[in-house]
Amino acid sequence: GNSVTQMEGPVTLSEEAFLTINCTYTATGYPSLFWYVQYPGEGLQLLLKATKADDKGSNKGFEATYRKETTSFHLEKGSVQVSDSAVYFCALPGGTSYGKLTFGQGTILTVHP
Amino acid sequence: NAGVTQTPKFRILKIGQSMTLQCTQDMNHNYMYWYRQDPGMGLKLIYYSVGAGITDKGEVPNGYNVSRSTTEDFPLRLELAAPSQTSVYFCASSYSKYTTENAGELFFGEGSRLTVL
């Protein structure tokens, strides 16, 4: 089945630093790809997505490009803020049933002032 | 603005006890899910439901049961709690009709932290 491998964490950055969190996937065909974010004490929420190869998803200053050549969907942000401190999950459909997502192990990001 | 509501938020159980985690959503979503989150392991799907009266096993269903008598509610039952069930449990729901715009968007509750001692 589909699987995703996510960059090991935790990641600690200073405010305004550049962020990259790596995500690679194994899948049949070209499934949609997602990044979810979990802020402290909250449930996960969708951050951005790309539904076909070469698409770029973006939201809140974060971007990720669906690259089928390298089977990757790396998350980037040019200038992180303290409020970006959270856990980030890469995900893709786990099977044929809609909504059954397979998640990466999560990357903890801490941003210091 | 309720969305997906889970109760309780925290619970400590003794080995062998049973309990039910409650989940309700007010978005009229037919699809609902239970995930567990273990440190460094991401989320694993326990059970899911595509509508009232229909449930199916996910990746890690052993030790759990679910029911779906209404569109709104999807309780998760733990029978004979074991230390391996210590985890954070998330209920989620999603749109029934797949479109490019809503693809992959799950709406999560805030989680229920369960400790089995």
Side-chain angles (χ1 to χ4, degrees):
Chain A
N2 296 347
S3 65
V4 59
T5 301
Q6 196 174 329
M7 172 181 176
E8 294 283 341
V11 175
T12 303
L13 295 173
S14 298
E15 209 165 23
E16 300 184 2
F18 184 84
L19 168 71
T20 299
I21 300 177
N22 291 339
C23 172
T24 58
Y25 67 89
T26 302
T28 302
Y30 302 107
S32 296
L33 300 174
F34 312 95
W35 276 100
Y36 274 77
V37 60
Q38 183 182 26
Y39 297 106
E42 299 183 10
L44 283 73
Q45 57 186 273
L46 181 64
L47 177 61
L48 56 82
K49 66 184 179 188
T51 56
K52 60 181 186 291
D54 300 324
D55 261 5
K56 177 185 285 188
S58 61
N59 187 26
K60 298 182 180 180
F62 291 89
E63 293 183 339
T65 301
Y66 190 160
R67 301 198 186 280
K68 65 179 188 291
E69 300 84 3
T70 54
T71 61
S72 65
F73 192 55
H74 304 323
L75 182 69
E76 297 181 337
K77 186 173 186 181
S79 177
V80 294
Q81 305 300 311
V82 172
S83 58
D84 294 325
S85 298
V87 185
Y88 293 82
F89 294 90
C90 188
L92 76 169
T96 55
S97 294
Y98 172 57
K100 287 172 62 180
L101 298 183
T102 293
F103 289 87
Q105 70 267 38
T107 300
I108 300 172
L109 170 66
T110 303
V111 181
H112 292 297
Chain B
N1 281 355
V4 178
T5 303
Q6 292 182 234
T7 57
K9 285 188 170 34
F10 303 94
R11 183 73 185 268
I12 298 175
L13 281 182
K14 294 183 179 178
I15 295 172
Q17 287 185 318
S18 300
M19 74 161 297
T20 299
L21 299 176
Q22 302 292 343
C23 175
T24 187
Q25 52 91 10
D26 62 358
M27 296 172 283
N28 201 33
H29 289 165
N30 277 337
Y31 286 63
M32 296 187 74
Y33 317 84
W34 275 105
Y35 285 90
R36 59 177 286 172
Q37 182 183 31
D38 300 311
M41 299 295 289
L43 278 77
K44 302 291 186 186
L45 182 64
I46 304 171
Y47 270 95
Y48 68 100
S49 170
V50 300
I54 306 170
T55 63
D56 207 349
K57 296 177 181 179
E59 193 177 352
V60 290
N62 291 344
Y64 307 95
N65 279 300
V66 293
S67 60
R68 186 92 183 273
S69 57
T70 66
T71 299
E72 294 79 17
D73 300 310
F74 190 42
L76 177 71
R77 177 84 177 163
L78 281 73
E79 304 283 2
L80 299 175
S84 61
Q85 294 178 304
T86 294
S87 188
V88 181
Y89 292 84
F90 286 99
C91 180
S93 69
S94 66
Y95 297 103
S96 308
K97 186 175 180 181
Y98 181 97
T99 67
T100 301
E101 287 71 33
N102 67 33
E105 183 162 16
L106 273 61
F107 295 82
F108 283 84
E110 293 184 350
S112 299
R113 184 177 294 275
L114 175 67
T115 301
V116 181
L117 300 175

